[in-house]
Protein backbone atom coordinates (compact mmCIF):
# COMPACT_ATOMS: atom_id res chain seq x y z
CA UNK A 1 0.00 0.00 0.00
CA UNK A 2 1.36 3.39 -0.98
CA UNK A 3 1.81 5.83 1.89
CA UNK A 4 0.67 9.36 1.06
CA UNK A 5 2.18 12.04 3.29
CA UNK A 6 1.47 15.73 3.76
CA UNK A 7 3.64 18.50 2.36
CA UNK A 8 6.51 19.84 4.47
CA UNK A 9 8.47 23.11 4.22
CA UNK A 10 11.66 23.26 2.15
CA UNK A 11 13.77 23.89 5.23
CA UNK A 12 13.37 23.17 8.94
CA UNK A 13 15.85 23.19 11.83
CA UNK A 14 15.07 22.29 15.44
CA UNK A 15 16.99 24.55 17.78
CA UNK A 16 18.03 23.92 21.35
CA UNK A 17 18.69 20.17 21.21
CA UNK A 18 21.38 19.45 23.82
CA UNK A 19 24.57 17.84 22.52
CA UNK A 20 24.38 15.18 25.18
CA UNK A 21 27.42 13.09 26.04
CA UNK A 22 28.46 11.36 29.24
CA UNK A 23 31.32 8.82 29.24
CA UNK A 24 29.46 6.48 31.60
CA UNK A 25 26.49 6.12 29.22
CA UNK A 26 26.23 2.61 27.85
CA UNK A 27 26.24 3.14 24.06
CA UNK A 28 25.50 5.47 21.16
CA UNK A 29 21.77 4.70 21.32
CA UNK A 30 21.51 5.75 24.96
CA UNK A 31 23.61 8.79 24.13
CA UNK A 32 21.10 9.77 21.42
CA UNK A 33 18.14 9.03 23.71
CA UNK A 34 19.74 11.31 26.31
CA UNK A 35 19.84 14.19 23.84
CA UNK A 36 16.15 13.85 22.97
CA UNK A 37 15.14 13.42 26.61
CA UNK A 38 17.15 16.49 27.59
CA UNK A 39 15.39 18.39 24.81
CA UNK A 40 12.11 17.45 26.48
CA UNK A 41 13.33 18.65 29.86
CA UNK A 42 13.82 15.16 31.25
CA UNK A 43 16.97 14.33 33.24
CA UNK A 44 18.79 11.52 31.35
CA UNK A 45 20.67 10.46 34.51
CA UNK A 46 17.34 9.27 35.91
CA UNK A 47 15.44 8.45 32.73
CA UNK A 48 18.21 6.20 31.35
CA UNK A 49 18.58 4.30 34.61
CA UNK A 50 19.10 0.56 34.24
CA UNK A 51 18.58 -2.40 36.55
CA UNK A 52 21.63 -3.96 38.15
CA UNK A 53 21.99 -7.50 36.83
CA UNK A 54 24.26 -10.05 35.14
CA UNK A 55 23.57 -12.77 32.58
CA UNK A 56 25.56 -15.80 31.47
CA UNK A 57 24.71 -18.45 28.87
CA UNK A 58 26.75 -21.64 29.43
CA UNK A 59 25.90 -22.92 25.94
CA UNK A 60 27.41 -19.95 24.08
CA UNK A 61 29.60 -18.55 26.91
CA UNK A 62 28.08 -15.13 26.27
CA UNK A 63 27.45 -12.64 29.06
CA UNK A 64 25.24 -9.61 29.52
CA UNK A 65 23.52 -7.26 31.93
CA UNK A 66 19.76 -7.22 31.27
CA UNK A 67 20.09 -8.70 27.78
CA UNK A 68 22.79 -10.87 26.24
CA UNK A 69 25.68 -9.00 24.63
CA UNK A 70 26.00 -10.56 21.21
CA UNK A 71 25.99 -9.83 17.49
CA UNK A 72 22.61 -9.74 15.79
CA UNK A 73 21.55 -9.84 12.15
CA UNK A 74 18.22 -8.09 12.76
CA UNK A 75 16.68 -4.92 14.14
CA UNK A 76 13.32 -6.61 14.66
CA UNK A 77 13.27 -7.08 18.41
CA UNK A 78 10.24 -8.04 20.49
CA UNK A 79 8.79 -5.90 23.27
CA UNK A 80 10.05 -8.44 25.80
CA UNK A 81 13.61 -8.16 24.47
CA UNK A 82 13.48 -4.36 24.41
CA UNK A 83 11.98 -3.85 27.85
CA UNK A 84 14.26 -5.74 30.20
CA UNK A 85 15.73 -2.44 31.42
CA UNK A 86 14.92 1.31 31.53
CA UNK A 87 11.99 1.32 34.00
CA UNK A 88 10.96 4.87 33.01
CA UNK A 89 10.69 3.87 29.33
CA UNK A 90 8.53 1.69 27.13
CA UNK A 91 10.04 0.51 23.84
CA UNK A 92 7.69 -0.76 21.17
CA UNK A 93 8.61 -3.82 19.15
CA UNK A 94 10.40 -2.84 15.95
CA UNK A 95 7.99 -2.63 13.05
CA UNK A 96 7.63 -1.29 9.54
CA UNK A 97 6.21 2.23 9.50
CA UNK A 98 2.59 2.15 8.35
CA UNK A 99 2.07 5.84 7.78
CA UNK A 100 -0.51 6.04 10.53
CA UNK A 101 0.16 8.52 13.33
CA UNK A 102 0.08 6.62 16.61
CA UNK A 103 -1.65 8.42 19.45
CA UNK A 104 0.29 8.95 22.66
CA UNK A 105 -1.49 8.56 25.97
CA UNK A 106 -0.90 11.92 27.73
CA UNK A 107 -1.21 10.21 31.11
CA UNK A 108 1.16 7.33 30.32
CA UNK A 109 3.53 6.64 33.24
CA UNK A 110 6.55 6.11 30.98
CA UNK A 111 8.10 7.82 27.99
CA UNK A 112 7.79 5.98 24.71
CA UNK A 113 10.48 4.91 22.23
CA UNK A 114 9.14 3.76 18.88
CA UNK A 115 11.40 1.84 16.51
CA UNK A 116 10.46 1.96 12.85
CA UNK A 117 11.87 0.70 9.59
CA UNK A 118 10.75 1.04 5.99
CA UNK A 119 12.28 -0.30 2.77
CA UNK A 120 11.44 2.92 0.92
CA UNK A 121 13.92 5.78 1.21
CA UNK A 122 11.17 8.21 0.19
CA UNK A 123 8.85 7.12 3.00
CA UNK A 124 11.62 7.22 5.62
CA UNK A 125 12.81 10.62 4.43
CA UNK A 126 9.31 12.08 4.38
CA UNK A 127 8.65 10.90 7.93
CA UNK A 128 11.94 12.41 9.08
CA UNK A 129 11.07 15.77 7.52
CA UNK A 130 7.58 15.68 9.02
CA UNK A 131 8.96 15.15 12.52
CA UNK A 132 11.53 17.90 12.09
CA UNK A 133 8.88 20.29 10.75
CA UNK A 134 6.87 19.53 13.90
CA UNK A 135 9.85 20.60 16.00
CA UNK A 136 10.92 17.06 16.91
CA UNK A 137 14.51 15.86 16.38
CA UNK A 138 14.89 12.23 15.37
CA UNK A 139 17.37 9.42 15.97
CA UNK A 140 18.41 7.63 12.79
CA UNK A 141 20.68 4.61 12.49
CA UNK A 142 23.52 4.64 9.97
CA UNK A 143 26.27 2.36 8.77
CA UNK A 144 29.56 4.06 9.69
CA UNK A 145 31.14 2.71 6.51
CA UNK A 146 29.22 5.43 4.63
CA UNK A 147 29.80 8.32 7.08
CA UNK A 148 32.77 10.51 5.99
CA UNK A 149 33.48 12.24 9.33
CA UNK A 150 34.14 8.93 11.10
CA UNK A 151 37.37 6.95 11.10
CA UNK A 152 35.48 3.85 9.93
CA UNK A 153 34.54 5.56 6.64
CA UNK A 154 35.09 3.17 3.70
CA UNK A 155 37.07 0.89 6.04
CA UNK A 156 34.74 -0.80 8.51
CA UNK A 157 31.01 -1.36 8.81
CA UNK A 158 29.25 -0.56 12.05
CA UNK A 159 25.77 0.28 13.37
CA UNK A 160 25.59 3.78 14.86
CA UNK A 161 22.87 6.15 16.13
CA UNK A 162 22.98 9.89 15.33
CA UNK A 163 20.56 12.73 16.04
CA UNK A 164 19.10 14.64 13.06
CA UNK A 165 17.97 18.18 13.90
CA UNK A 166 17.13 19.66 10.51
CA UNK A 167 17.15 19.61 6.73
CA UNK A 168 17.50 22.03 3.82
CA UNK A 169 16.09 20.81 0.51
CA UNK A 170 17.70 23.55 -1.58
CA UNK A 171 21.17 22.74 -0.23
CA UNK A 172 20.40 19.02 -0.19
CA UNK A 173 21.69 18.49 3.36
CA UNK A 174 20.70 17.24 6.77
CA UNK A 175 21.74 18.90 10.01
CA UNK A 176 22.86 16.31 12.56
CA UNK A 177 25.22 15.69 15.45
CA UNK A 178 27.08 12.71 16.82
CA UNK A 179 28.69 13.23 20.22
CA UNK A 180 29.50 9.65 21.08
CA UNK A 181 33.11 10.47 21.83
CA UNK A 182 33.76 6.96 23.14
CA UNK A 183 34.03 5.90 19.48
CA UNK A 184 35.87 9.09 18.47
CA UNK A 185 32.64 10.67 17.20
CA UNK A 186 32.48 14.43 17.65
CA UNK A 187 30.53 15.81 14.73
CA UNK A 188 28.06 18.68 14.63
CA UNK A 189 27.15 20.01 11.20
CA UNK A 190 25.62 19.02 7.88
CA UNK A 191 25.92 15.98 5.64
CA UNK A 192 24.63 15.65 2.07
CA UNK A 193 21.28 13.94 1.73
CA UNK A 194 22.79 11.18 -0.43
CA UNK A 195 25.41 10.40 2.21
CA UNK A 196 22.80 10.04 4.94
CA UNK A 197 20.63 7.92 2.64
CA UNK A 198 23.58 5.60 1.91
CA UNK A 199 24.25 5.29 5.62
CA UNK A 200 20.61 4.40 6.29
CA UNK A 201 20.28 1.80 3.51
CA UNK A 202 23.64 0.09 2.92
CA UNK A 203 23.79 -3.33 4.56
CA UNK A 204 26.25 -3.53 7.45
CA UNK A 205 28.62 -6.49 7.14
CA UNK A 206 30.79 -7.12 10.19
CA UNK A 207 33.44 -9.76 10.73
CA UNK A 208 33.49 -10.84 14.35
CA UNK A 209 36.56 -12.88 15.38
CA UNK A 210 34.36 -14.96 17.69
CA UNK A 211 30.91 -15.25 16.10
CA UNK A 212 31.82 -14.85 12.41
CA UNK A 213 30.14 -12.73 9.73
CA UNK A 214 26.98 -10.77 10.56
CA UNK A 215 24.93 -9.02 7.86
CA UNK A 216 22.33 -6.46 8.92
CA UNK A 217 19.86 -5.00 6.46
CA UNK A 218 19.54 -1.35 7.49
CA UNK A 219 16.01 -0.64 6.17
CA UNK A 220 16.19 3.02 7.29
CA UNK A 221 15.80 2.24 11.00
CA UNK A 222 14.82 5.24 13.10
CA UNK A 223 13.60 6.00 16.63
CA UNK A 224 10.97 8.46 17.76
CA UNK A 225 11.01 9.46 21.43
CA UNK A 226 7.58 10.50 22.72
CA UNK A 227 7.23 12.04 26.18
CA UNK A 228 3.70 12.45 27.63
CA UNK A 229 2.88 16.02 28.57
CA UNK A 230 2.51 15.17 32.27
CA UNK A 231 5.41 12.71 32.43
CA UNK A 232 7.37 12.80 35.67
CA UNK A 233 10.41 10.94 36.96
CA UNK A 234 8.54 9.60 39.96
CA UNK A 235 10.12 8.33 43.14
CA UNK A 236 8.10 5.13 42.99
CA UNK A 237 9.76 4.04 39.75
CA UNK A 238 13.18 4.84 41.18
CA UNK A 239 12.46 2.69 44.23
CA UNK A 240 11.17 -0.07 41.97
CA UNK A 241 14.46 0.04 40.07
CA UNK A 242 16.37 -0.57 43.31
CA UNK A 243 14.15 -3.39 44.55
CA UNK A 244 14.04 -5.08 41.13
CA UNK A 245 17.84 -4.78 40.91
CA UNK A 246 18.09 -6.66 44.20
CA UNK A 247 15.68 -9.30 42.97
CA UNK A 248 17.61 -9.80 39.73
CA UNK A 249 20.99 -9.95 41.45
CA UNK A 250 19.65 -12.49 43.92
CA UNK A 251 18.49 -14.61 40.97
CA UNK A 252 14.85 -14.73 42.00
CA UNK A 253 13.51 -14.96 38.43
CA UNK A 254 14.67 -15.92 34.95
CA UNK A 255 15.45 -13.03 32.61
CA UNK A 256 14.71 -13.73 28.94
CA UNK A 257 14.90 -17.39 29.92
CA UNK A 258 18.32 -17.11 31.59
CA UNK A 259 19.32 -17.25 35.26
CA UNK A 260 20.61 -13.85 36.34
CA UNK A 261 22.56 -12.09 39.05
CA UNK A 262 24.82 -13.92 41.50
CA UNK A 263 23.77 -17.44 40.39
CA UNK A 264 24.77 -16.51 36.82
CA UNK A 265 28.06 -15.03 38.07
CA UNK A 266 28.77 -18.23 40.00
CA UNK A 267 28.10 -20.33 36.90
CA UNK A 268 30.43 -18.08 34.93
CA UNK A 269 33.19 -18.37 37.53
CA UNK A 270 32.82 -22.15 37.62
CA UNK A 271 33.08 -22.35 33.82
CA UNK A 272 36.18 -20.16 33.91
CA UNK A 273 37.78 -22.44 36.49
CA UNK A 274 37.16 -25.42 34.21
CA UNK A 275 39.16 -23.73 31.45
CA UNK A 276 42.34 -24.24 33.49
CA UNK A 277 42.27 -27.96 32.68
CA UNK A 278 41.79 -27.55 28.92
CA UNK A 279 44.05 -26.29 26.13
CA UNK A 280 43.82 -22.52 25.76
CA UNK A 281 43.53 -22.51 21.98
CA UNK A 282 43.02 -19.73 19.45
CA UNK A 283 39.25 -19.83 19.91
CA UNK A 284 39.68 -19.09 23.60
CA UNK A 285 42.19 -16.34 22.90
CA UNK A 286 39.76 -14.64 20.54
CA UNK A 287 36.92 -15.02 23.04
CA UNK A 288 38.87 -13.18 25.75
CA UNK A 289 40.63 -10.65 23.53
CA UNK A 290 37.58 -9.51 21.62
CA UNK A 291 34.33 -10.65 23.26
CA UNK A 292 35.02 -10.61 27.00
CA UNK A 293 37.16 -7.48 26.86
CA UNK A 294 34.45 -5.48 25.09
CA UNK A 295 31.51 -6.98 26.97
CA UNK A 296 33.08 -6.35 30.36
CA UNK A 297 33.71 -2.73 29.39
CA UNK A 298 29.97 -2.46 28.73
CA UNK A 299 29.26 -3.86 32.19
CA UNK A 300 31.68 -1.31 33.69
CA UNK A 301 29.76 1.56 32.10
CA UNK A 302 26.45 0.10 33.24
CA UNK A 303 27.68 -0.07 36.84
CA UNK A 304 28.86 3.53 36.66
CA UNK A 305 25.54 4.57 35.18
CA UNK A 306 23.80 2.87 38.10
CA UNK A 307 25.98 4.88 40.49
CA UNK A 308 25.08 8.15 38.77
CA UNK A 309 21.41 7.22 38.96
CA UNK A 310 21.73 6.43 42.67
CA UNK A 311 23.37 9.78 43.40
CA UNK A 312 20.90 11.75 41.24
CA UNK A 313 17.87 9.95 42.69
CA UNK A 314 19.17 10.59 46.19
CA UNK A 315 19.36 14.31 45.48
CA UNK A 316 15.99 14.40 43.66
CA UNK A 317 13.97 12.46 46.21
CA UNK A 318 15.80 13.28 49.43
CA UNK A 319 17.17 9.79 49.96
CA UNK A 320 19.99 9.15 52.40
CA UNK A 321 22.59 7.24 50.41
CA UNK A 322 25.32 5.81 52.65
CA UNK A 323 28.89 6.48 51.57
CA UNK A 324 29.47 2.73 51.55
CA UNK A 325 27.00 2.27 48.68
CA UNK A 326 29.07 4.53 46.45
CA UNK A 327 32.27 2.79 47.56
CA UNK A 328 30.84 -0.67 46.78
CA UNK A 329 29.75 0.39 43.29
CA UNK A 330 33.05 2.10 42.56
CA UNK A 331 34.91 -0.99 43.76
CA UNK A 332 32.75 -3.27 41.62
CA UNK A 333 33.21 -1.07 38.52
CA UNK A 334 36.97 -0.99 39.13
CA UNK A 335 37.16 -4.79 39.37
CA UNK A 336 35.05 -5.30 36.24
CA UNK A 337 37.34 -2.85 34.46
CA UNK A 338 40.52 -4.61 35.60
CA UNK A 339 39.00 -7.93 34.52
CA UNK A 340 38.33 -6.46 31.06
CA UNK A 341 41.97 -5.41 30.76
CA UNK A 342 43.17 -8.81 31.96
CA UNK A 343 40.91 -10.47 29.39
CA UNK A 344 42.66 -8.48 26.67
CA UNK A 345 46.11 -9.52 27.92
CA UNK A 346 45.02 -13.14 28.25
CA UNK A 347 43.67 -13.10 24.72
CA UNK A 348 46.92 -11.66 23.40
CA UNK A 349 49.32 -13.93 25.31
CA UNK A 350 47.39 -17.08 26.20
CA UNK A 351 49.15 -17.20 29.57
CA UNK A 352 46.96 -19.21 31.93
CA UNK A 353 48.34 -17.39 34.96
CA UNK A 354 46.29 -14.42 33.76
CA UNK A 355 43.15 -16.57 33.91
CA UNK A 356 43.60 -16.82 37.68
CA UNK A 357 43.87 -13.04 37.87
CA UNK A 358 40.76 -12.67 35.70
CA UNK A 359 38.76 -14.97 38.00
CA UNK A 360 40.00 -13.17 41.12
CA UNK A 361 38.92 -9.77 39.80
CA UNK A 362 35.44 -11.12 39.05
CA UNK A 363 35.21 -12.56 42.54
CA UNK A 364 36.12 -9.20 44.01
CA UNK A 365 33.47 -7.53 41.83
CA UNK A 366 30.92 -10.07 43.03
CA UNK A 367 31.85 -9.47 46.68
CA UNK A 368 31.42 -5.70 46.32
CA UNK A 369 28.07 -6.08 44.58
CA UNK A 370 26.88 -8.53 47.23
CA UNK A 371 27.51 -5.81 49.80
CA UNK A 372 25.54 -3.30 47.74
CA UNK A 373 22.64 -5.67 47.10
CA UNK A 374 22.29 -6.39 50.80
CA UNK A 375 21.63 -2.65 51.25
CA UNK A 376 19.11 -2.35 48.38
CA UNK A 377 15.45 -2.48 49.46
CA UNK A 378 13.50 -5.70 48.96
CA UNK A 379 10.32 -5.58 46.90
CA UNK A 380 7.37 -4.49 49.01
Amino acid sequence: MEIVRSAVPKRSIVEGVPRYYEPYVNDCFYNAYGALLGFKGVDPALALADYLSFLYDPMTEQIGVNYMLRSSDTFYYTEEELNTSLPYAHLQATKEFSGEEEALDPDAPRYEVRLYTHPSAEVAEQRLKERLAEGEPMIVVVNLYEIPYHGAYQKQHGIHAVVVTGYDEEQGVYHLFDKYEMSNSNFDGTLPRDVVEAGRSTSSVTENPVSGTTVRQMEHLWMEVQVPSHFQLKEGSAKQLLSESRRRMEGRDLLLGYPCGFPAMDDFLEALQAKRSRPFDDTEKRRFRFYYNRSLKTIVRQRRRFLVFLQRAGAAFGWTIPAEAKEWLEEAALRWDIAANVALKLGLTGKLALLDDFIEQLRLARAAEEQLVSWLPARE
Side-chain angles (χ1 to χ4, degrees):
M1 181 180 69
E2 183 181 357
I3 298 176
V4 179
R5 310 301 297 172
S6 59
V8 295
K10 296 290 185 181
R11 181 178 185 272
S12 183
I13 298 176
V14 182
E15 303 288 354
V17 183
R19 272 50 175 170
Y20 178 77
Y21 170 73
E22 292 289 351
Y24 62 81
V25 171
N26 194 15
D27 61 15
C28 62
F29 289 92
Y30 281 17
N31 212 59
Y33 293 150
L36 268 61
L37 289 167
F39 177 68
K40 296 287 190 178
V42 178
D43 183 357
L46 288 175
L48 294 177
D50 199 3
Y51 300 108
L52 201 66
S53 187
F54 178 80
L55 293 176
Y56 170 64
D57 182 354
M59 298 298 294
T60 63
E61 301 190 56
Q62 294 169 337
I63 60 176
V65 182
N66 291 300
Y67 49 87
M68 209 61 74
L69 299 168
R70 60 188 173 200
S71 299
S72 175
D73 60 0
T74 182
F75 291 116
Y76 284 85
Y77 302 116
T78 66
E79 287 207 18
E80 182 186 17
E81 291 171 318
L82 291 168
N83 287 283
T84 57
S85 54
L86 302 180
Y88 286 108
H90 173 252
L91 281 75
Q92 288 190 0
T94 319
K95 59 185 176 182
E96 184 174 308
F97 183 64
S98 68
E100 297 295 327
E101 190 74 30
E102 297 181 63
L104 178 68
D105 180 357
D107 299 318
R110 296 180 289 178
Y111 67 88
E112 187 95 3
V113 180
R114 296 170 176 173
L115 288 77
Y116 293 115
T117 67
H118 202 281
S120 166
E122 290 74 21
V123 170
E125 181 177 50
Q126 180 70 10
R127 179 58 177 171
L128 173 56
K129 290 179 177 178
E130 287 175 357
R131 291 289 289 170
L132 293 169
E134 293 167 356
E136 297 287 347
M138 183 185 284
I139 300 169
V140 303
V141 179
V142 296
N143 181 356
L144 288 174
Y145 186 84
E146 304 289 349
I147 306 303
Y149 66 76
H150 200 278
Y153 179 59
Q154 299 297 300
K155 298 176 184 176
Q156 185 177 355
H157 293 249
I159 305 301
H160 195 63
V162 301
V163 179
V164 180
T165 59
Y167 66 91
D168 189 319
E169 289 187 357
E170 290 186 0
Q171 294 185 12
V173 299
Y174 281 112
H175 294 252
L176 61 91
F177 65 86
D178 177 6
K179 292 296 181 181
Y180 189 52
E181 297 178 20
M182 191 171 293
S183 69
N184 298 317
S185 296
N186 190 10
F187 180 82
D188 193 343
T190 62
L191 286 181
R193 173 192 173 279
D194 291 346
V195 169
V196 176
E197 162 57 20
R200 299 186 71 188
S201 60
T202 305
S203 296
S204 174
V205 182
T206 55
E207 299 291 339
N208 188 298
V210 178
S211 58
T213 303
T214 299
V215 180
R216 267 181 164 180
Q217 304 298 329
M218 298 297 290
E219 292 190 62
H220 306 95
L221 177 69
W222 73 89
M223 288 88 163
E224 300 181 13
V225 177
Q226 307 266 10
V227 180
S229 57
H230 300 294
F231 174 78
Q232 291 182 326
L233 295 165
K234 294 183 178 179
E235 183 178 12
S237 295
K239 288 182 176 178
Q240 185 269 340
L241 184 143
L242 297 184
S243 61
E244 179 63 20
S245 291
R246 177 167 183 161
R247 188 173 183 85
R248 293 189 186 191
M249 290 302 294
E250 290 177 341
R252 301 291 185 88
D253 304 302
L254 295 179
L255 185 58
L256 295 175
Y258 298 102
C260 59
F262 297 131
M265 292 179 72
D266 291 339
D267 289 344
F268 185 41
L269 288 166
E270 184 178 345
L272 291 169
Q273 284 282 12
K275 291 181 184 292
R276 299 186 78 259
S277 61
R278 299 197 299 266
F280 205 80
D281 57 18
D282 288 343
T283 298
E284 291 290 2
K285 289 180 182 179
R286 289 193 295 270
R287 192 190 316 278
F288 279 82
R289 179 182 177 183
F290 297 102
Y291 179 73
Y292 285 146
N293 169 256
R294 294 171 184 172
S295 297
L296 290 172
K297 291 290 186 182
T298 298
I299 293 174
V300 172
R301 295 195 295 274
Q302 194 274 340
R303 268 38 180 181
R304 289 175 176 159
R305 190 151 49 89
F306 191 90
L307 174 58
V308 171
F309 157 76
L310 198 60
Q311 293 172 318
R312 193 66 61 89
F317 305 123
W319 296 350
T320 299
I321 309 296
E324 292 87 347
K326 177 182 177 182
E327 293 169 1
W328 293 326
L329 269 171
E330 288 178 337
E331 170 71 6
L334 172 64
R335 296 303 173 178
W336 286 112
D337 200 19
I338 294 174
N341 294 332
V342 174
L344 176 60
K345 293 177 183 178
L346 178 55
L348 287 169
T349 67
K351 293 181 179 179
L352 275 178
L354 290 168
L355 180 59
D356 293 334
D357 190 14
F358 182 74
I359 292 171
E360 179 61 18
Q361 295 303 322
L362 294 180
R363 283 177 172 162
L364 291 170
R366 187 197 187 287
E369 292 186 358
E370 196 166 28
Q371 293 269 49
L372 174 70
V373 169
S374 68
W375 168 77
L376 294 176
R379 183 184 294 176
E380 297 179 0

